[in-house]
Amino acid sequence: MAAAETDSEVPCARCSDFLHFSAKDTAAKWLEVDNLLKEVYQHLACFVPKIYCLGPNLNPQNEDLLAQLLLQGPLEWYLCGEEPTVGLAKLEQSNQPSQLCGHVFKVGEPTYSCRDCAADPTCVLCMQCFLGSVHKEHRYRMTTSGGGGFCDCGDTEAWKKGPYCQKHEPNISDSSQKDPLANLSEQMITRTRNVFSIILKYAVHMLTWEKEDELPEGLEPPARGDTYYCMLFNDEVHTYEQVIYTLQKAVNCTQKEAVSFATTVDRDGRKSVRFGDFQFCEQAKSVIVRNTSRQTKPLRVQVMHSSVVAHQCFALKALNWLGQIIKSSDALRRILCLVGLQQGPNGENSLVDTLMLCDSKMWKGARNVYHQLFMSSLLMDPKYKKLFAIQFAKNYERLQSDYVKDDHDREFSITDLSVQMFTVPSLARMLITEENLMTTIIQTFVDHLRHRDIQGRFQFERYTAQQAFKFRRVQSLIGDLKYVLISRPTEWSDQLREKFLEGFEAFLELLKCMQGMDPVVRQVGQHIEMEPEWEAAFTLQMKLTHIISMMQEWCANDEKVLIEAYKKCLSALTHCHSGFTDGEQPITLSMCGHSVDTIRYCVSQEKVSIHLPVSRLLAGLHALLSKTEVAYRFPELLPLSELSPPMLIEHPLRCLVLCAQVHAGMWRRNGFSLVNQIYYYHNVKCRVEMFDKDLVMLQAGASMMDPNHFLMIVLSRFELYHIFSSADCRKRYGRENINKDVVQQNNTLIEEMLHLVIMVVGERYIAGVGQVESYDEIKREIIHQLCIRPMAHSELVKALPENENKETGMERVIDHVALFKKPGVTGRGLYKLRPECAKMFNLYFNHYSRADQSKAEEAQRKIKRQNGEDSVLPPPVPPHFCPLFGSLVNILQCDVLLGILGAVLQWAMEPSGGHWSESMLQRVLHLLGMGLVEEQQHLTGSTEDGISFNFTLKISRPGEAPGNTPSILALLETLQNAPHLEVHKDMIRWILKTVANIKTTRECTASASPADSSGHSQEETVRDKDKAERKRKAEMARLRREKIMAQMSEMQRHFINENKDLFQQSLEELDATTSTSLEHSPSTCDSTLVCVGPRRWRASASDRRQVVTCILCQEEQEIRVDGKAMVLAAFVQRSTVMSKNRKRPTYNPDKYDPLFMHPDLSFGTHTGSCGHIMHSHCWQRYFEAVQAKEQRRQQRLRVHTSYDVENGEFLCPLCECLSNTVIPLLPLTKTTCSTEQPDQRQWVNITSQQIKALHAARKKTNAEGVDDADSAEDCHPPDGFRLDHTPKNPYSGTIKEMLTTFGTATYKVGLKVHPNEQDARVPIMCWGSCAYTIQSIERLLVDEEKPLFGSLPCRQNDCLSSLTRFGSACWTASSQAVVHGHFIRLLAALVPDSQVENTPCILDIDMFHMLVSLVLSYPALHCLDSSGMSEDAAQLHLLHLVTIAHIVQILLTSIPEEVRMEQESGGAEREEEESVCLLYNTLRRHLSSGLHEVTSGWHLWHCVKTGILPYLRAAALFFHYLNGAPAPPELHAVGVGEWEALCGYLCLPSNPLQLYYNNLELLEPLLQGWCSHPGVLQALQSSTALIRFPRESNHLIELPEDYSALINQASSFTCPKSGGDKSRAPTLCLVCGAMLCSQSYCCQTELEGDDVGACTAHTFTCGAGVGIFLRVRESQVLFLAGKTKGCFYAPPYLDDYGETDQGLRRGNPLHLCQERYRKIQKLWRQHSITEEIGHAQEANQTLVGIDWQHL
Ligand SMILES: [Zn+2]
Ligand SMILES: [Zn+2]
Ligand SMILES: [Zn+2]
Ligand SMILES: [Zn+2]
Ligand SMILES: [Zn+2]
Ligand SMILES: [Zn+2]
Ligand SMILES: [Zn+2]
């Protein structure tokens, strides 16, 4: 770093050098010269190296300043011809502001698209434009930008409606057609052109300059030194860690510097890591290269001369300057475009071309700068955008090839600009016609996939990693193609037709490479060894799906195009199948008197492929011929006669048979890759251009064939022909072989085959096949989804295919078919099917999986039964076929089908011997039903059809085959009574009834009206009904049994959740009974209920008796001081929930003195419990077992658990609640009511004397051996005070042990120290936890508006009670002297004690903590007293004393009344107001000047009353649990009477100030003493940090109603550590509102020896280890606890459908749901975050593996 020293001096020296420089003069000189280029270059050559890159540490401000003065200054002078500020201002005035917004998006900024009006989903608005647009009232979508791209506001082609926001609305005097140059003088234009061309040329030259040590001609520096940079370049191969590690080694820097280098390299694409002479830099380079070349190619490093780097720096600067200067003037912008696109005199590339073509060679930073310039110049000028688009298209192939090899992501590539041009419909159209863009894109794509098999098909199988990378890259071309096609032309020119068809042909070439790719052959014998690659092919298919659909839509748009495309597609298909029959033997099939020729081909033996895009495209076009009626209007133009139906259906049929065979289990040995392929074939993402089209193709083929022939070929391909062709096929079971597997297989195949026939005849919901619109298609799709169960909006969206605009069309339909049900505080909104839509339900809906089908069937039958209807599910009435497909209905009544149906029915006569299946029969019945429905439809329609389609007649005829077989109808009549067909009876009955109906209709056909088609009639026999009912009951019983079994196993696993409620219920009942009995017990000394003091309520012996059951051994146990210890599972945690000061610095845990809690409650220790009780020994045994198990587990597999055993954590054995210790249960202490007790003054005196005696005794022991004069000072202990008394510890051994266990745990967790049961702070932490927990629960009750008593859940009640009683006993586990010491110091803060130093002032003490600690430590003193003074009296005196201190505290911190309003209250409070004024004035007197004047007694009294209330409520809870006194009924309700009831319960006068006036003698000096503490005045004067009372409850921060406001806020948030960079994962702390840069290297810090992310680090200061965050980009709440625990939680933002959008994937507008936010807040306030995380992690083990600490 030697150079650094001189660094600061250099620029200064130069400054003086440059002092005489004049920009004006230089510009003037330039005006004179002939060769301006040479002159400017000389100028740059001279100055640039003097300004830039003079040392290792750059000084950007200085550089900028100098560059402005020396470089840009003269350029601007020259350009303007006058003072630049004046000239530029003039330009700005004549500027026509662009109507395009053009705002360039930052990473993470919200973007909006209108689903109603956007031309395509890439059209977006910035937030400002959106808010000023009409679209905010439309259906909009919100996303976060990935950076790049700009706002399309003002682009009329981007929006169908409302293209302008208010701001960009064009002026009425629209002069945008005018040439912007018209306003400029000729000279000005020339000068601008000169400057722009020189500077742009210079910049292009420098940025594309590749030599490291030389400069272009004319730029050589006057002097050059041996100064070099070692420049490190970014690549996407090496990880952050690798780079950081290497840099530390190579250039000897600290880790921090290395991180900073790496961050800059990643951001800017390059960074100099060393500066010095050539040798010095070369050395670093070789180390870096050596270190990174082992596995991959090395990091790119260059040693560059400083002047080269300097010129490159200025080149970037210059481009920025150009960008700035054209902003103010559309004229200058146009000149820049002109200069940029101008070709050289000999047709050389323009500067813009040069930049584009060098794109992949430049570093990231340079690319970003020039891309930005393109966006603000070329793309903002309508005229030049077009010219640029042409150049872009011309270079397209080259740019894409460069990009494929480039190792930067697409967002940094010039190719990414395609979206800006291709999505503009007029440009896209122009590029197609003039530059043949469509063909170019497709051919470039095909060219990049060179790896083919011998038939020329793509072969992804043997892709290397590099080829796979390339394959990923070229996929972006498909994206470009999509942009080009996304808006369909409304008018066609001949040229467009020609070029589109040319593109279409190229596209067919692409599809031909896919037709038949990845073929599979059934594996027999052995399982395949390696799963074949299948994903690449499907990726391609998925990417192309929209393109294929769009191609069809373009074709549908123009008759000529459709006809030509159809021809081309057909010939492509014919070409593919030219070898269709080659080598395959022809065979003849015959059945039922029909015969057909086909080939011998078995799917199960030969190659078969699932990829048939050419066939499918033809199927789509065929349907379009029908839809557009082109087929009927121009049959002569179509090659219909050339169609060979068997050829058309062959491959789609094979594919469908493959699926059937996979279902039948015949392809098991082919592994998962095939299963996956079949899955995607049917999946919503692919099916539109796969499965659906195969079906259409079968329909198309079948419609042109004799149905008997079609079916025979189908049977043959299904390899079922032999079963149905034989004459006695109806006796299958008698004859077929006995191999059960084969029979089973064939059964499944028959089922699948029948299903296929059902679909071929029944699926008519594709426009062109049936007479439907797309509306009907979507409607049916949604109905069938909702037939399965009610669904959320997003579930439905997922189940529906989206078009290229990401629209499903669902909104149009949904309200017609469904009812919306809003969500509660959890869950989501659901759509439920309208009952009237259920009649459209088709059990054999083609998009159901088998699982969907059975779920839907069950659901639909259930609904029917509930409505008291017949549960039969007959086929719905289908729409009519379009004429082209009309002949398909004949399949239903053809001989072959009837033969098949008859055979199956015949088989079904016998109870199944495995030769038929229920599903098979069900399908047969469904087909019969379809036939009848069809016939009914024909009957009600035209009479002609009614005659030609006579299904009833066909099924009534007996079979023809040799024997006289019964007719189908006869078979059905027999089957109706077969006992083994109970399940199908309702359907058979329906069929027979319908047949009867049709017959009657036909009989009276001529005259009568059509019959009722419903098929329902009332004549149902009682017997049938009974049977159905019995069956239903049996089914119900079965379901119930299953449910119970499921529940039982659930219970075994979880035991709890089912039981917890029961368990708690019984406790609640128990509680209720005991408390009522207590209230009626006469054992109180007084009639009123008092919880503290000598007059307090006392429990009788029977009240005190408490019996509990151990959850582990189930034994009952009475709680006794000398009995076995019972414990409560508990969780102790640090808390800042009530903190009023999150900025308090952390203390040193080893030295910290927690005796006095500060009133800011900056952090405390909270104890919670699930309320489950165990024997201490049962718990210990359980915990040891957990420990052992954990050790074994850790050895075996290094997985985390949701709990940390080493830290004492375990899960409650009953409810799996996270716990880390146990609280021992203790009985109420026995006390007696003694009569004579000292008053307050006496008591204080006695206690002071006792303390003195203790002081003396301690000194004596300390001074033992040493003769100290002071020790002689005599001190008489008061009567009955036995200093040497050692009280007997009443507790049993196990209780003692548990007292220590819990005390130590509280100490360990609360202070974050190692456990040490001897530490003096153990009891303090216990008292503190007791006080803090009570306080937090008191707050919670207020916030929830619940009464103080009676509303707490059992678990909290039990927890507080055991915690308080433990508190009163925990002193026995510590050394007495230590506890004495604590008591003495505590009391000294209120009652002066000359022997205690450094007592805090009363403004620095939380009085409730004070009260609890005093009361709980007092027994240690009291046990030495034998004078008969009661502990109860002492408690009361302590309460009074602390209460007075608190009143003083409140008065001192009260806020002056703002508006003087004399609030006259009734006489009732007069007295209180006077007394409070009096006290306040006393305080003012003591403090002389420190207190403001207050005259309103009402105000002061109000302050006291509201200020002290939380304290009184907490005190009431405390004494309630300590002494067991039941609470008065007034405190079981919210509202009036609380104050009096509290005062009474706490034995306080209803005007607590009386405490003061009654004891003036004692209290007045104390008061004076408190006020004279120097801390008081100090605190009052620095009123900022003053805590006032009542302390308000903390809230989570306010969130905006509209989520996009948060996104916007987060998008402007920059990482605080890496200088202005956008944060990738901005995360909001919901506790304090801090925005953090989460999940990122830049903001990792070290915390207790671990690297942690910003969130984890933040939790330690903000939430004592617990944090609640909102991940803004993800719309996800994050809970963190400690370093290892965390979970995600549903955000409080919902869309209009009542759903959250975690990950912001759907982009529906989100709004704050207050209820849900309150629920999160409640979790936080009741300290349940950690518990929630525990439950989440137990439920979802993957959460355990996440590295929460790095978030
Ligand atoms: Zn905008
Ligand atoms: Zn706008
Ligand atoms: Zn709109
Ligand atoms: Zn037990
Ligand atoms: Zn539990
Ligand atoms: Zn925070
Ligand atoms: Zn950061």
Side-chain angles (χ1 to χ4, degrees), residues 1105 1107-1110 1113-1118 1126 1175:
R1105 197 178 125 86
V1107 178
V1108 293
T1109 309
C1110 168
C1113 68
Q1114 302 296 323
E1115 269 172 35
E1116 290 199 334
Q1117 179 77 46
E1118 187 185 346
M1126 294 302 282
H1175 284 105

Side-chain angles (χ1 to χ4, degrees), residues 114-118 134-136 138-139 159 161:
C114 182
R115 297 171 58 196
D116 295 328
C117 316
V134 292
H135 310 293
K136 69 172 190 282
H138 300 174
R139 298 179 311 135
W159 309 97
K161 235 173 36 198

Side-chain angles (χ1 to χ4, degrees), residues 547-587:
I547 307 277
I548 298 173
S549 301
M550 285 190 283
M551 287 281 185
Q552 293 171 34
E553 278 159 19
W554 277 59
C555 293
N557 216 311
D558 184 81
E559 287 162 353
K560 287 184 199 155
V561 171
L562 179 58
I563 293 167
E564 285 311 308
Y566 189 81
K567 283 186 194 160
K568 284 182 194 297
C569 191
L570 183 62
S571 84
L573 185 65
T574 321
H575 178 260
C576 286
H577 296 322
S578 57
F580 165 51
T581 49
D582 284 4
E584 281 155 343
Q585 281 176 300
I587 52 161

Side-chain angles (χ1 to χ4, degrees), residues 1489-1516:
S1489 57
L1491 276 184
H1492 55 87
E1493 193 177 338
V1494 171
T1495 51
S1496 161
W1498 179 88
H1499 172 69
L1500 279 179
W1501 172 238
H1502 181 75
C1503 285
V1504 169
K1505 218 174 154 180
T1506 53
I1508 203 169
L1509 196 62
Y1511 162 84
L1512 291 184
R1513 287 164 50 92

